[in-house]
Amino acid sequence: FDGSKVEGFEIGAKGLFLDGRLTADIALYRMKYKSLQVAVFNPVTTTFTIQNAAAAVNKGIEGSLTFQATDELQLR
């Protein structure tokens, strides 16, 4: 099988707010794969083989918040 190529980016930010009681982060990303390597199951021989797929795009946004409401209670 051929090698894979990936082109992409990720950008994000992190911050502390409310005297450090609130932490937040966010990230945006996009990855474009060429000759993506995938494992294909063959039920006749019960084996997996590696093959190249055409292309794929993986994109999204992710983030998290953590709030320290009291010394004993943390919300995520």
Side-chain angles (χ1 to χ4, degrees):
F1 51 89
D2 296 328
S4 294
K5 291 186 179 183
V6 180
E7 294 178 355
F9 73 90
E10 181 174 347
I11 186 168
K14 294 182 179 187
L16 290 171
F17 307 96
L18 303 175
D19 295 325
R21 292 176 45 214
L22 176 66
T23 60
D25 65 79
I26 189 167
L28 303 167
Y29 59 90
R30 184 178 191 277
M31 304 293 174
K32 183 175 181 181
Y33 298 86
K34 295 179 182 177
S35 296
L36 178 67
Q37 295 174 356
V38 293
V40 178
F41 180 69
N42 183 340
V44 176
T45 62
T46 65
T47 59
F48 286 90
T49 57
I50 304 297
Q51 298 179 0
N52 287 98
V57 174
N58 183 12
K59 58 185 174 180
I61 181 171
E62 61 182 64
S64 68
L65 289 171
T66 303
F67 179 64
Q68 191 71 43
T70 67
D71 288 341
E72 294 82 23
L73 178 62
Q74 187 179 74
L75 305 172
R76 297 181 185 190

